[in-house]
Amino acid sequence: MNKRAIWSILSMIVLFSMLLGGCAVPAAAPAAPAADAAAAPAEAAPAEAAIQIPAPVDGMFNVAFVYVGPVGDAGWTYAHDEGRRYLEENLEGVHTAYLESVPEGADAERVIRNLARAGFNAVFTTSFGYMDPTATVAAEFPDIDFVHVSGFLKGPNFSNLFGGMESMKYLVGMIAGAKAQELGATQVGYIAPFATAEVVRHINAAAMGMRSVCPECTLDIRWTFSWFDPNLERESAASLIDAGAVVVITGADTPGPVQVAGEKGVFGVGYDSRNACSIDPEACLTVPYWNWGPEYVRLVQEMMDGTFVGSDIYFDVDSGSLGLLGFVEDQTPQPGVPASIVPQVQELLAKMESGEFTRFDVFSGPINDNKGNLFVPEGEQLTQSDLEGLKGIEGREDCTFCMSWLAEGVSPDAELPSGN
Amino acid sequence: MTAQSALGPTPEKTVTRLRIEQRMEQPTWLRYASPIILVGAALLVGALLLRLAGANPWFVYRQMFSIAFGSAYGWSDTTIKAVPLIVIGLGVALALRMRLFNVGAEGQFFIGAFMATGVALYILPTNAPAWLMLLAMGLGGFIGGAFWGFIPGILKARLNVNEIITTLMLTYVAVLWNNYWVYGPWSERGFGMTSTFPDNAWMPRFTDYAEQIPALRGMTAHFGIFVAIVLAIVMWILLRSSKWGFEISVIGDNNRAARYAGINLSRNIILVMMISGGFAGLAGMIEVAGVVHRLQERFSPGYGFTAIIIAWLAKLNPLAIIPVAYLFGGLLVGGDAIQPAGVAAMLQGVILFVVVGGEMLLTYRVRLEKVAVAA
């Protein structure tokens, strides 16, 4: 009896330490990709104290940021944090603080409410899952300004902010298609986090861009069901490559897939942050990235002036808030980009920058779905509501070509996960 | 040995062995003081790590404490975390009294939440009265959790299958089952979540009464805390004063004696596992109805596992579970404010580890022993 009890308890202790260790992994894991991602995230770290507790500073305009991943993810959250630092450097009298790795859902509401109570003047929340919590807290604190990134709700003191990354994904598709052609292959892969309107329109834009260059190419998809899961993103990349993909485009938060592509001797396209290629520049074709800084400065300036009004903000390439590594700001294309495609991409990008070619031109009929049926007829163009897949949202028109379909070029047997 | 010595000086060797043995008697004061000693030791180890990470531990702890307990809002937030810990902890403690290790409360919690969500979104009409809705959800949650406890219970009772393994493995099944529904048939807009519950499926919260009592505005703690306290008192009375409570402690102390005394072992194993699971399931229902208001992926920060430690530290006393759960709830709430986020997770891990490891050192004696062996 005693011996048995000893073993039961010992095994429990071992199990707990493993399980609880497991629970902590989402927070602890970022250390690995951050370390891998060259020096980029390390530059940011020493500027701040090792451990901090966000608090407003008297006499400053205090802005808090809520992040879904760690600032060292070298992707989505890193790009936002870059924007935060840009804001602090470029606007006098602004103090910023952030909370990273905040789970979406009920915990987020508490975290956002506590920031409002603590006395911050503005709160930026940067993941889709923070939308409802932000809306709830914004209604409770009318004197504080809120900005939610990637959603569609607004209020008197609450704006939503996003941009036409689909335009850049179209160019990415062109580059990936050209690379596949150059390698004599036809398979391109895409790592998709969730089957949301945002992700689906990025996939579709990439597929259409790819088909415009390489009519015989197909886009294979892997769903990860997570914005940030370094291991799963790497596994998905490996799975796509094993299935024949020669270029892997990621729509998730870390540059892990690019690294895997390099290890396996093929090519990758990163996402979100201009640093995503630094993990393996040889294997990385490009990165469509977010440049949040200027938009943050503009919004916070409005807040400080008292002119901020909750609205729907959706910028396109002409705003300068979207980038494509190797093609903007005097950058030169990555070594892997086929020379033949560079002028075409540059030409279309120039049209996008001048506002002549927008996301609506990307989504202009005729467009077939991935089963070969005509989906958007000639002469029709998707609307903003179609792109965002909005239905039954107050103050917004309902979508007709709602973003829950896959465009021609996506592998014909691919389907959106059920329930949409 | 004497024979060996006669052969010469060399062939004998001594080896140092680690021996773990149960302390025969633990002084009464130590039994009551041990939770405090353990938590204190854990905080000290945590402080050391914070120091190494370059922070001032005193400042960090003070901030955490003031966030969790320094204001009415803090108490409200901490209560939200404490409720599931108390309710699950009660179920785990009940099973532990019988020496049944229900380490799968996390899974039962998920199944309870799943059942409650099914009732709220797909079974009852959205205009059902709130009392009926919540009652049906609670019943659904309890039944779901009880079923998840019944499986290991009957396996243990009939086939003597180790319940540590079965309950733990069923946790993974439960989490994946939950993921299937929230990403598949019940998904909203492709995310790992269902649509929001109708208002009548929301457990009343203090902030809902802000119109009558303005001081309650923003207090999102819900009435699940009253359910938790009532359950704790009922269980305390049952275990102390009922024949069944006595049977359970007898089985826990010595199941052979219990069998001779005519106590039905199998029936009690199954029953206790079902109640234990049912409590975790009910906690899952309370969490979705009171806090999350929908079913979603990963909506638990490991309540089911933390609750085991809480039950243990509370010495399986239902009333003591309440303050211990508040302590750990405060740790969760206070930890969220520390940046980078990994530090809080590490601190929580260290504290749990020291508490569990320390408990073992207090219950068992570890001795180094020199043993003679033949060469």
Side-chain angles (χ1 to χ4, degrees):
Chain A
M1 177 63 201
N2 258 344
K3 204 163 193 177
R4 204 189 143 260
I6 291 171
W7 283 113
S8 303
I9 287 164
L10 275 175
S11 50
M12 270 187 74
I13 291 167
V14 173
L15 285 173
F16 282 140
S17 46
M18 287 188 323
L19 283 166
L20 293 163
C23 294
V25 162
D36 291 344
E43 284 165 17
E48 263 119 25
I51 291 178
Q52 50 150 356
I53 293 169
V57 173
D58 281 345
M60 302 285 268
F61 190 84
N62 293 287
V63 186
F65 288 80
V66 181
Y67 300 143
V68 72
V71 293
D73 71 352
W76 175 257
T77 295
Y78 181 75
H80 282 290
D81 201 53
E82 206 176 38
R84 177 187 68 81
R85 280 180 274 130
Y86 180 92
L87 167 68
E88 198 159 70
E89 284 156 22
N90 287 277
L91 211 52
E92 196 87 357
V94 172
H95 167 74
T96 67
Y98 68 86
L99 282 156
E100 63 175 11
S101 302
V102 174
E104 299 181 322
D107 278 316
E109 186 178 314
R110 173 167 53 84
V111 164
I112 297 164
R113 185 178 285 110
N114 282 341
L115 289 169
R117 269 186 206 134
F120 281 92
N121 305 91
V123 181
F124 284 69
T125 58
T126 64
S127 189
F128 183 87
Y130 300 150
M131 182 169 69
D132 292 343
T134 311
T136 306
V137 180
E140 290 171 21
F141 294 87
D143 298 335
I144 297 173
D145 295 323
F146 293 83
V147 175
H148 173 249
V149 175
S150 76
F152 50 79
L153 291 182
K154 63 167 183 261
N157 57 332
F158 173 32
S159 283
N160 61 68
L161 169 69
F162 212 35
M165 180 55 85
E166 45 277 15
S167 300
M168 288 305 190
K169 291 277 181 174
Y170 186 84
L171 298 176
V172 162
M174 289 170 65
I175 296 170
K179 189 69 193 176
Q181 227 165 22
E182 186 189 81
L183 296 170
T186 58
Q187 281 277 90
V188 177
Y190 198 104
I191 296 165
F194 293 98
T196 62
E198 169 196 343
V199 174
V200 173
R201 72 176 177 265
H202 291 174
I203 294 171
N204 288 343
M208 290 190 285
M210 175 191 76
R211 274 291 169 102
S212 75
V213 172
C214 172
E216 64 279 6
C217 285
T218 54
L219 190 66
D220 201 3
I221 304 175
R222 293 288 180 278
W223 302 95
T224 61
F225 298 110
S226 169
W227 296 117
F228 177 83
D229 189 333
N231 288 333
L232 195 54
E233 289 166 33
R234 294 175 57 90
E235 281 167 24
S236 305
S239 152
L240 285 165
I241 295 164
D242 292 345
V246 292
V247 180
V248 178
I249 305 169
T250 183
D253 289 3
T254 78
V258 174
Q259 194 182 27
V260 171
E263 286 161 7
K264 292 192 170 255
V266 294
F267 296 85
V269 176
Y271 184 35
D272 290 326
S273 146
R274 67 179 86 219
N275 292 305
C277 263
S278 53
I279 197 163
D280 189 344
E282 296 293 318
C284 188
L285 296 179
T286 183
V287 186
Y289 62 81
W290 299 93
N291 188 15
W292 297 104
E295 203 60 16
Y296 284 172
V297 167
R298 186 180 71 79
L299 288 167
V300 173
Q301 183 69 60
E302 280 183 17
M303 294 168 181
M304 293 169 81
D305 296 344
T307 57
F308 177 83
V309 181
S311 52
D312 303 303
I313 308 163
Y314 200 99
F315 51 81
D316 211 320
V317 179
D318 57 356
S319 67
S321 294
L322 292 165
L324 185 68
L325 190 76
F327 295 89
V328 293
E329 299 171 10
D330 305 323
Q331 299 155 353
T332 48
Q334 296 291 113
V337 177
S340 58
I341 196 71
V342 172
Q344 285 182 56
V345 172
Q346 281 169 339
E347 191 191 340
L348 190 53
L349 181 62
K351 283 187 182 174
M352 289 177 175
E353 283 168 341
S354 68
E356 197 184 324
F357 189 95
T358 67
R359 57 189 182 277
F360 301 111
D361 298 303
V362 171
F363 285 95
S364 285
I367 303 174
N368 287 348
D369 68 16
N370 68 326
K371 313 278 185 226
N373 309 311
L374 183 68
F375 187 73
V376 183
E378 174 92 53
E380 294 269 4
Q381 206 169 47
L382 265 61
T383 63
Q384 186 62 32
S385 285
D386 290 336
L387 291 179
E388 295 187 57
L390 300 181
K391 206 161 218 173
I393 307 299
E394 213 186 306
R396 303 290 295 269
E397 61 171 281
D398 281 356
C399 54
T400 43
F401 299 109
C402 305
M403 195 51 72
S404 54
W405 53 282
L406 292 168
E408 191 166 57
V410 175
S411 121
D413 50 356
E415 280 182 26
L416 291 173
S418 59
N420 291 280
Chain B
M1 194 168 301
T2 39
Q4 278 175 0
S5 318
L7 292 174
T10 41
E12 189 182 291
K13 243 184 177 176
T14 60
V15 170
T16 310
R17 274 200 193 147
L18 199 64
R19 262 187 78 113
I20 299 173
E21 54 193 28
Q22 193 160 20
R23 289 179 195 274
M24 288 315 275
E25 46 198 283
Q26 217 179 18
T28 323
W29 69 266
L30 182 64
R31 279 193 42 209
Y32 291 101
S34 69
I36 296 159
I37 297 173
L38 289 171
V39 172
L43 290 175
L44 269 178
V45 175
L48 197 71
L49 285 170
L50 284 172
R51 186 73 254 178
L52 287 174
N56 174 353
W58 171 240
F59 173 74
V60 172
Y61 282 151
R62 215 179 42 197
Q63 284 290 323
M64 284 175 70
F65 187 84
S66 95
I67 288 165
F69 302 108
S71 68
Y73 294 124
W75 276 97
S76 163
D77 288 345
T78 303
T79 300
I80 290 174
K81 295 287 178 198
V83 169
L85 294 174
I86 295 169
V87 178
I88 301 172
L90 290 171
V92 171
L94 176 70
L96 271 175
R97 281 197 169 228
M98 255 182 75
R99 292 277 184 277
L100 284 173
F101 294 83
N102 178 14
V103 295
E106 182 82 355
Q108 294 141 13
F109 180 79
F110 270 91
I111 295 294
F114 163 81
M115 291 285 284
T117 304
V119 169
L121 291 179
Y122 298 96
I123 295 181
L124 282 188
T126 49
N127 58 0
W131 65 266
L132 177 68
M133 184 66 114
L134 290 171
L135 204 66
M137 285 167 76
L139 204 64
F142 189 90
I143 291 171
F147 175 66
W148 227 240
F150 169 77
I151 302 170
I154 193 155
L155 286 173
K156 170 85 178 177
R158 296 271 178 270
L159 303 167
N160 202 23
V161 179
N162 186 331
E163 78 282 4
I164 298 179
I165 306 296
T166 48
T167 52
L168 183 67
M169 291 302 138
L170 278 174
T171 297
Y172 295 103
V173 178
V175 171
L176 290 172
W177 171 262
N178 180 62
N179 282 357
Y180 166 73
W181 287 90
V182 298
Y183 281 118
W186 291 358
S187 168
E188 188 192 48
R189 307 175 62 87
F191 284 94
M193 50 172 75
T194 65
S195 49
T196 311
F197 292 169
D199 288 348
N200 51 358
W202 287 37
M203 185 157 288
R205 299 177 302 174
F206 291 102
T207 185
D208 298 339
Y209 295 86
E211 297 219 333
Q212 291 91 327
I213 311 165
L216 293 180
R217 190 173 305 283
M219 303 275 207
T220 48
H222 50 83
F223 287 11
I225 183 62
F226 301 128
V227 177
I229 291 171
V230 167
L231 284 176
I233 294 171
V234 168
M235 186 173 284
W236 182 69
I237 294 171
L238 267 181
L239 288 176
R240 246 180 109 84
S241 330
S242 76
K243 175 169 164 268
W244 180 65
F246 178 70
E247 284 185 10
I248 285 177
S249 357
V250 174
I251 298 172
D253 285 343
N254 186 337
N255 61 20
R256 206 168 296 170
R259 207 191 303 258
Y260 288 134
I263 295 171
N264 188 333
L265 261 178
S266 298
R267 204 193 64 193
N268 270 312
I269 288 174
I270 297 170
L271 185 66
V272 163
M273 283 305 286
M274 284 178 73
I275 296 174
S276 183
F279 270 56
L282 182 64
M285 172 269 169
I286 293 173
E287 188 70 4
V288 288
V291 183
V292 193
H293 302 133
R294 56 162 39 124
L295 188 63
Q296 65 176 48
E297 185 221 21
R298 298 182 207 142
F299 68 100
S300 161
Y303 289 132
F305 300 117
T306 309
I308 302 170
I309 306 201
I310 289 170
W312 203 338
L313 269 183
K315 302 279 167 199
L316 312 185
N317 178 333
L319 293 184
I321 284 174
I322 298 173
V324 180
Y326 262 89
L327 185 73
F328 277 79
L331 190 64
L332 287 173
V333 169
D336 277 357
I338 306 176
Q339 294 295 313
V343 173
M346 180 196 73
L347 199 59
Q348 285 158 7
V350 164
I351 290 177
L352 294 180
F353 187 81
V354 172
V355 163
V356 175
E359 173 72 24
M360 192 199 138
L361 289 181
L362 289 177
T363 318
Y364 295 92
R365 183 167 29 208
V366 180
R367 245 188 3 189
L368 285 178
E369 192 176 61
K370 284 200 196 303
V371 188
V373 287

